[in-house]
Amino acid sequence: QILSGNIQDRFSPRLLLEDVYIRGNDVWSDGWDCGIDMVSVINASITRSYIVGKLNGSTSNYHSALGIKTSGLGNPCVLTIDQPFIMCTTSAIISEDVEGLLILSPTIVSVQNGIIANNSNPLDLQPQVVVSNGHINQSGAGIILDSSWAATITGNQISGISDTPRDTSGIIIRGSSKAFNITNNTFENTSATFGMTGVAVEDGTAGFIDNNVFANQEVAMWLTSGASKVRVGGGNINSENPLGGNATWVVNQGTDSEIATKTYTKSIVFTLSGGFATEFVQVPIPAKIFSAKPSYASLVDASGTQFLVTIYDHDDASNTATNCRFILRRADGVNITAGAHRLAFTASGY
């Protein structure tokens, strides 16, 4: 019953499904439109559902449309989907106009889209969704937030299918979504042919992205012109897998967004050639610390015997994400003395 726009009553358990097994009689020939379809359901719990679509040996064509869908009028809310296993569907889970959706420990394999949470009327209802501790293997997008409010995505492993027929995305934020929190996830592209974007903020405000691991991404994090007030923290890890590393770390085309810099320091002993007023040194940086040449770097005289003045030669062509070139001179203007000399190095960048 719906009164004054809300499902009644709103305080009693309404649906409990446990250990539901859905598949065709023959997984090579039988599929369906939707495994579990909840319409205007409130206070529901679905635990350990096992849903397998039609297996056709190709990730480019799916013969079962949906694993689980929840939607409807009356402000449906407080839904928990715990430990679902969903395989070979166009979309694994779709939530429309639902508030308070928890998706816990999902295993989603060989799908086009993993989880889609959207809202048809952002001015009327903005769903809150939590996705945690799951595995999502997809050929389109792992998670799509569309007009979503206060979403948390944490602790998931999101990968692109190795034989995907297209470029993929880990998480897509769109539709003026607000207050999203994306932390402690791992994004891995297993395709040698197509690229993957880890997190794409197409249209979103006031989001936080940190402590994630990115491997073999075309773009690890992309804040488009529709992103605003999004903070990319310094705890994100620039990783790689056997297919390669990340081609681009961060693209920031948004407004009032903050990309945290990384800082690397070390003490290093150089053997100076000496005999001249000016000398050049190259400081090596381990791979994966920075995705581009540091925007700031300093080299400080740590020996105190020659009073060296150092200049970061930022625009020199030899500067890369793994190398910084410095110009050395003595403060008193005389020639540099040959021999071992300790310098303290600091660099900051993305």
Side-chain angles (χ1 to χ4, degrees), residues 81-100:
I81 302 174
D82 189 11
Q83 304 174 64
F85 179 93
I86 302 174
M87 181 178 182
C88 295
T89 61
T90 301
S91 296
I93 300 173
I94 291 182
S95 169
E96 297 179 348
D97 299 334
V98 173
E99 180 183 2

Side-chain angles (χ1 to χ4, degrees), residues 235-309:
N236 293 296
I237 303 298
N238 187 359
S239 185
E240 61 183 13
N241 65 18
L243 295 174
N246 301 300
T248 301
W249 183 236
V250 180
V251 175
N252 183 12
Q253 300 168 323
T255 303
D256 296 331
S257 294
E258 177 186 353
I259 311 298
T261 59
K262 298 179 181 180
T263 300
Y264 174 73
T265 63
K266 70 175 178 179
S267 177
I268 185 169
V269 176
F270 291 94
T271 301
L272 303 178
S273 300
F276 297 93
T278 299
E279 190 163 333
F280 300 93
V281 296
Q282 308 279 352
V283 180
I285 304 171
K288 302 302 176 185
I289 299 294
F290 301 112
S291 59
K293 68 180 180 181
S295 53
Y296 166 82
S298 68
L299 198 60
V300 178
D301 186 346
S303 294
T305 57
Q306 295 200 56
F307 306 105
L308 293 175
V309 176

Side-chain angles (χ1 to χ4, degrees), residues 8-322:
Q8 304 296 323
D9 73 56
R10 302 188 64 80
F11 307 104
S12 302
R14 305 297 292 273
L15 173 67
L16 177 62
L17 292 178
E18 292 183 348
D19 302 309
V20 176
Y21 183 24
I22 300 174
R23 51 156 282 185
N25 182 60
D26 181 351
V27 295
W28 297 104
S29 61
D30 300 328
W32 63 84
D33 180 51
C34 184
I36 300 173
D37 191 357
M38 295 180 286
V39 180
S40 295
V41 172
I42 191 171
N43 299 345
S45 176
I46 300 176
T47 304
R48 295 183 303 275
S49 56
Y50 190 94
I51 302 174
V52 180
K54 178 181 175 182
L55 308 181
N56 65 345
S58 172
T59 58
S60 61
N61 190 19
Y62 301 88
H63 292 270
S64 296
L66 296 174
I68 299 174
K69 181 180 179 181
T70 178
S71 62
L73 301 175
N75 188 18
C77 65
V78 193
L79 307 180
T80 299
I81 302 174
D82 189 11
Q83 304 174 64
F85 179 93
I86 302 174
M87 181 178 182
C88 295
T89 61
T90 301
S91 296
I93 300 173
I94 291 182
S95 169
E96 297 179 348
D97 299 334
V98 173
E99 180 183 2
L101 173 65
L102 302 181
I103 303 176
L104 310 176
S105 301
T107 300
I108 297 172
V109 181
S110 294
V111 300
Q112 181 170 321
N113 297 313
I115 297 168
I116 301 174
N118 63 50
N119 177 25
S120 61
N121 186 357
L123 297 179
D124 178 47
L125 172 66
Q126 294 176 310
Q128 301 171 7
V129 59
V130 174
V131 182
S132 67
N133 301 318
H135 169 75
I136 302 174
N137 176 243
Q138 46 74 33
S139 66
I143 299 173
I144 299 175
L145 301 178
D146 192 347
S147 302
S148 187
W149 171 262
T152 295
I153 302 172
T154 185
N156 301 284
Q157 202 283 336
I158 303 175
S159 62
I161 295 174
S162 59
D163 59 346
T164 176
R166 61 181 70 83
D167 290 342
T168 67
S169 297
I171 297 174
I172 299 176
I173 312 294
R174 58 173 57 139
S176 299
S177 293
K178 297 179 177 65
F180 51 89
N181 183 21
I182 301 172
T183 57
N184 300 303
N185 303 284
T186 298
F187 300 87
E188 183 174 16
N189 182 21
T190 59
S191 172
T193 305
F194 291 93
M196 178 175 172
T197 298
V199 179
V201 183
E202 297 178 356
D203 185 4
T205 302
F208 182 55
I209 305 169
D210 202 7
N211 295 326
N212 301 288
V213 178
F214 298 89
N216 190 31
Q217 306 291 298
E218 188 70 23
V219 180
M221 292 164 283
W222 194 339
L223 311 184
T224 72
S225 58
S228 64
K229 297 181 176 63
V230 177
R231 185 178 190 276
V232 175
N236 293 296
I237 303 298
N238 187 359
S239 185
E240 61 183 13
N241 65 18
L243 295 174
N246 301 300
T248 301
W249 183 236
V250 180
V251 175
N252 183 12
Q253 300 168 323
T255 303
D256 296 331
S257 294
E258 177 186 353
I259 311 298
T261 59
K262 298 179 181 180
T263 300
Y264 174 73
T265 63
K266 70 175 178 179
S267 177
I268 185 169
V269 176
F270 291 94
T271 301
L272 303 178
S273 300
F276 297 93
T278 299
E279 190 163 333
F280 300 93
V281 296
Q282 308 279 352
V283 180
I285 304 171
K288 302 302 176 185
I289 299 294
F290 301 112
S291 59
K293 68 180 180 181
S295 53
Y296 166 82
S298 68
L299 198 60
V300 178
D301 186 346
S303 294
T305 57
Q306 295 200 56
F307 306 105
L308 293 175
V309 176
T310 65
I311 301 170
Y312 176 35
D313 196 6
H314 180 276
D315 295 326
D316 186 82
S318 66
N319 285 304
T320 66
T322 57

